[in-house]
Amino acid sequence: MDSSVQSVIQRANHIKNNVAGGKKVRIGETGWSSAGNTGPSPLTLANEIAYAQKFKCAAAAAGFEYFYFEAKDAQWKAGAVQSEQNFGIFNAGFTPKFDF
């Protein structure tokens, strides 16, 4: 989890320092799914919450604005793997999954 957060911040810093030419850099998309299975890090609500908290602190400390992926779970994505349907900070009915 920590390495995922740091990876995003490091990549954004690389763009800021080597590509942006003094322009503001915003992180275009970041988040953690609350369900599914894509590898060694469990996709659970507890880990989605932990990632969000750690990322928000790291982004603020580094001075980055960001777009968090995504507003609500995307159950409408028929045929998509479960992990792609569960990135929301709200469930599909717009009930908050956690205090963002």
Side-chain angles (χ1 to χ4, degrees):
M1 179 93 43
D2 290 328
S3 62
S4 294
V5 169
Q6 288 310 312
S7 176
V8 172
I9 299 302
Q10 286 172 353
R11 285 181 283 143
N13 272 323
H14 176 78
I15 298 298
K16 178 181 170 184
N17 297 329
N18 298 294
V19 178
K23 295 179 184 174
K24 181 181 245 180
V25 172
R26 289 186 181 97
I27 297 171
E29 182 178 298
T30 191
W32 193 276
S33 182
S34 63
N37 182 13
T38 61
S41 297
L43 301 179
T44 64
L45 180 56
N47 281 346
E48 181 181 23
I49 293 166
Y51 180 86
Q53 292 170 339
K54 290 172 188 253
F55 174 79
K56 285 173 31 177
C57 289
F64 287 112
E65 295 176 357
Y66 55 88
F67 296 95
Y68 203 83
F69 186 76
E70 70 189 299
K72 74 176 195 124
D73 285 346
Q75 303 304 310
W76 58 268
K77 292 180 180 177
V81 295
Q82 188 179 20
S83 59
E84 286 298 320
Q85 297 175 335
N86 290 282
F87 273 88
I89 58 176
F90 295 90
N91 68 22
F94 279 109
T95 301
K97 289 165 52 179
F98 59 97
D99 183 13
F100 190 76

